Amino acid sequence: MEDTLQTIQSIPLEHYIWFSTALFIVGVIGVLTRRNAIIILMSVELMLNAVNLLLAAFSVHHGDPSGQVFVFFIMAVAAAEVAVGLAIIVMIYRNTGSVDIDIMNKLKW
Amino acid sequence: MLTQSLFYFLSFLAIFSALAVIIAKNPVHSVLYLILTFFAITGHYILLNAQFLAIVNMIVYAGAIMVLFLFVLMLLNLNAETEPQKPAYIKIAGVVSGGLLLLVLVGALKTVDVSGAGGTTATDMGLVENLGMVLFNEFLLPFELASVLLLTAMVGAVLIGRREA
């Protein structure tokens, strides 16, 4: 038990902050630079995972299990989001023959 | 020290495979690199002794969600030739915007003081037993609502994906 505590505390919380920030930024750049709707959905997943990891790290370092329960809920919402999002992408592909988001600009002002 | 070198190894693995996800031309390669990223993050959860989250991450993300992505990619028969590309100036603008956001976040987080967060005494908090106690006492209503959300998502996906809508 004492070993586990030392192992957890041997990595400072700042390191988790920098790592999660970097992973989140990679996701943001992916959303901004890609045109394939599926890759954009994957970049959103990257961002969600960065946030999940940071929530879990803070939860463990604070000794508060609520953070890990939140991560569990975020995972449930992400699963629902991916299921509906991919269904929409399949439907768009059936109607336009492409998953390029730049041709779906009918709602753009 | 083993833990720290493991942390750095998993971090660099996760970041480089995340970069490979957004750089790879072939969408199937992107999905495979994303699976690698998720495994690295599962390793991070194990390092934090958050065993429940590690298993859920492995089953839900690396298992279910990635299979869904791969299935849709192969159903639509997407590959590097059909991959749409943004013009170079948009890509540069996107990377610069992302870099600026990184700058802002780093600048803001540098002043954050997290030293008050050292009060951990319970290391077995991430086990199924303890999380289950919290989940089914404090968070019972959100947990039930999550099941309704998943049912709604299932009905919605079936309705949208139907051929004759």
Side-chain angles (χ1 to χ4, degrees), chain A residues 45-59:
Chain A
E45 293 302 312
L46 275 180
M47 289 194 266
L48 281 171
N49 264 278
V51 173
N52 276 353
L53 180 65
L54 196 58
L55 263 177
F58 268 107
S59 150

Side-chain angles (χ1 to χ4, degrees), chain A residues 1 10 15 34-35 49 61, chain B residues 8 38 83 85 117 120 123:
Chain A
M1 188 56 77
S10 68
H15 288 31
R34 295 303 295 253
R35 276 170 69 183
N49 264 278
H61 278 256
Chain B
Y8 290 121
F38 285 155
E83 179 69 9
Q85 292 290 332
T120 314
T123 53

Side-chain angles (χ1 to χ4, degrees), chain A residues 4 8 11 13 16 53-58 60-61 68, chain B residues 42-51 123 125-126:
Chain A
T4 321
I8 289 172
I11 301 158
L13 203 43
Y16 282 103
L53 180 65
L54 196 58
L55 263 177
F58 268 107
V60 168
H61 278 256
Q68 300 195 21
Chain B
T42 303
H44 275 295
Y45 285 137
I46 293 171
L47 273 188
L48 282 168
N49 204 21
Q51 300 173 9
T123 53
M125 186 183 65

Side-chain angles (χ1 to χ4, degrees), chain B residues 12-46:
Chain B
F12 281 107
L13 181 68
I15 287 178
F16 280 117
S17 46
L19 280 174
V21 169
I22 65 171
I23 289 171
K25 290 265 188 296
N26 192 336
V28 176
H29 293 172
S30 288
V31 175
L32 296 178
Y33 282 121
L34 196 58
I35 294 176
L36 196 60
T37 314
F38 285 155
F39 273 113
I41 289 174
T42 303
H44 275 295
Y45 285 137
I46 293 171

